[in-house]
Amino acid sequence: MGNTFLSFALLIIFHFSMPTISMKLTTILTDQSALLALKDHVIHDPENVLTTNWSASAPVCNWFGVSCGSRHRRVTALDLTGLGLVGTLPPHLGNLSFLSLLYITNNSFYGRLPAQLSNLHRLKYLSFGNNNFGGEVPSWLGSLTELRRLFLYQNNFKGVIPFSLGYLSKLEFLTLFENQISGSIPSSIFNISTLQNIYLSYNKLSGSIPSGPHDLLSLELIDFSSNNLSGHIPKDMFDYLPNLKELYLSVNLLSGRIPASLFKCKELQMLSLAYNQMEGSLPIEIGNLSMLQYIYIGRNHFEGNVC
C-alpha cells in the first residue's frame, strides 16, 4: 500500500512538473531560434564572429555578444557593435521577451525595422546608430515605455518624428542626427521630464521650435543645428530649462531676437546660433552667463558689440 501511494504521488509530481520543464526549454529555445534567425539574415560577417561562435551546439548564453539573466537564464542583452555585419533584422528578434539592451551600432544593416520589435517591452537601451536602416521612424517605438536611451543616428530614416515618442516617459537620450527626417519637431518630446540630451541635427526638419509646457530639470543639451527650422525662438522656451548647458541652433532659418529667457540658463556653457537670420542688438545680460565658454553667433543680422 505504501509503495503504491508513493508511486502515485511521484506520478502526480512528474505530471505537473512536465509543463514547467517544457516551458523552460521552450523559452530558451525561443531565444536561440531568434538569434539563429538573425544569423541567417546576415549576408556578410567579415570577422566570422557569428559564423564560428553562434552554434546550436553551444549554450546561447555563451555566444559572443549575448548576455543572460542570472535568475531565469534568458537573453537580456545583445551587443553586436562594430562587427561590420551586413544584413537585415528578422521579425524573430521580437521574441526576445527579456531583452533590456539591444546594440547593433556601427554595422551595415539595412531595410526597415521590423514591427515585431514593439514586443520588447523590457527594452531600456536601443541603438541602431551608424547603419543603413531606412523607412520612417516607427511610431511603435512609443510603446517601448521602459526605454532610457534611443539611438537611431546616421541612418537613412525618412518621414517625420512620431508624436508617440513623447510617451517614452523614462527616456534620457534621444539621438536622431544625420538622417533624412522632415516635418516639424513634435511638442510631445518636451513632455518627457527625464530627457537629458536631444540630438536632431543634420536632418530636414522645418517649422518652428516648440516650447515645453513645464520644467525640464534634467535637460542639459539641445542640438537642432543644420536643419530648416524657421520663425522665432519661443520667448518662454528657456523658462523651463534651468540646467541647460549646451544649445546648438546654428545653420537654420531662425529669425527674431535672442529671447530674454535664455539668460535664466545659468549653467549654459555652449551657445551656437550662427548661420541664421536673427537680428537685433545683443542683450547685455549675456554677460551674466558666467559659465559660458563658447559662443557662436556669426552670420546673422545682429547689431552692436559683444563686450
Side-chain angles (χ1 to χ4, degrees), residues 2 4 38 60 66 72 76 112 124 149 182 184 187 197-198 205 207 210 219 232 243 252 256 269 290:
T4 303
L38 174 59
V60 175
V66 176
H72 43 67
T76 57
R112 296 174 179 264
K124 295 180 180 179
R149 304 195 175 192
S182 57
S184 59
S187 60
N197 293 347
I198 309 175
L205 297 169
L219 191 55
H232 295 191
N243 295 309
N252 278 287
Q269 300 173 15
S290 58

Side-chain angles (χ1 to χ4, degrees), residues 116-127:
Q116 289 79 1
L117 296 180
S118 63
N119 297 326
L120 304 179
H121 296 300
R122 289 182 169 90
L123 207 57
K124 295 180 180 179
Y125 307 99
L126 176 60
S127 179

Side-chain angles (χ1 to χ4, degrees), residues 143-157:
S143 67
L144 303 178
T145 54
E146 293 298 316
L147 270 185
R148 270 67 165 178
R149 304 195 175 192
L150 176 59
F151 300 116
L152 301 180
Y153 61 88
Q154 293 177 328
N155 278 283
N156 296 312
F157 289 112

Side-chain angles (χ1 to χ4, degrees), residues 5-247:
F5 178 79
L6 179 60
S7 299
F8 181 69
L10 290 173
L11 181 62
I12 292 176
I13 293 172
F14 179 75
H15 174 75
F16 284 102
S17 68
M18 280 299 290
T20 303
I21 295 171
S22 176
M23 188 179 300
K24 288 181 178 179
L25 289 174
T26 301
T27 53
I28 292 171
L29 291 176
T30 299
D31 290 352
Q32 181 189 70
S33 177
L35 295 176
L36 289 177
L38 174 59
K39 178 182 177 180
D40 289 341
H41 279 69
V42 171
I43 61 175
H44 184 50
D45 178 7
E47 299 182 22
N48 291 318
V49 173
L50 306 189
T51 305
T52 59
N53 190 268
W54 284 24
S55 170
S57 62
V60 175
C61 297
N62 293 342
W63 291 4
F64 180 90
V66 176
S67 300
C68 294
S70 57
R71 182 170 61 87
H72 43 67
R73 302 305 293 168
R74 295 292 305 276
V75 174
T76 57
L78 177 61
D79 187 351
L80 301 177
T81 298
L83 298 180
L85 302 174
V86 181
T88 58
L89 298 184
H92 310 71
L93 287 182
N95 294 328
L96 297 173
S97 55
F98 280 75
L99 204 64
S100 65
L101 182 148
L102 177 56
Y103 277 10
I104 307 184
T105 315
N106 299 340
N107 286 288
S108 296
F109 284 96
Y110 58 90
R112 296 174 179 264
L113 301 182
Q116 289 79 1
L117 296 180
S118 63
N119 297 326
L120 304 179
H121 296 300
R122 289 182 169 90
L123 207 57
K124 295 180 180 179
Y125 307 99
L126 176 60
S127 179
F128 293 144
N130 194 17
N131 280 278
N132 295 313
F133 291 113
E136 296 186 354
V137 177
S139 60
W140 51 256
L141 285 168
S143 67
L144 303 178
T145 54
E146 293 298 316
L147 270 185
R148 270 67 165 178
R149 304 195 175 192
L150 176 59
F151 300 116
L152 301 180
Y153 61 88
Q154 293 177 328
N155 278 283
N156 296 312
F157 289 112
K158 300 179 181 179
V160 301
I161 300 174
F163 186 87
S164 60
L165 293 188
Y167 302 145
L168 301 176
S169 61
K170 299 178 181 179
L171 194 67
E172 298 169 353
F173 285 74
L174 176 60
T175 307
L176 304 178
F177 67 83
E178 292 188 36
N179 280 282
Q180 301 178 46
I181 301 170
S182 57
S184 59
I185 300 172
S187 60
S188 60
I189 288 177
F190 287 94
N191 292 329
I192 307 174
S193 61
T194 54
L195 264 184
Q196 298 176 18
N197 293 347
I198 309 175
Y199 295 92
L200 303 181
S201 59
Y202 292 94
N203 279 288
K204 299 179 180 179
L205 297 169
S206 58
S208 58
I209 298 174
S211 179
H214 52 72
D215 287 346
L216 296 176
L217 301 179
S218 300
L219 191 55
E220 296 184 351
L221 186 150
I222 295 175
D223 188 354
F224 295 163
S225 60
S226 298
N227 281 286
N228 297 309
L229 299 173
S230 59
H232 295 191
I233 300 174
K235 290 183 178 180
D236 62 347
M237 177 177 179
F238 304 104
D239 288 336
Y240 311 111
L241 306 174
N243 295 309
L244 189 67
K245 295 180 179 179
E246 300 180 51
L247 177 65

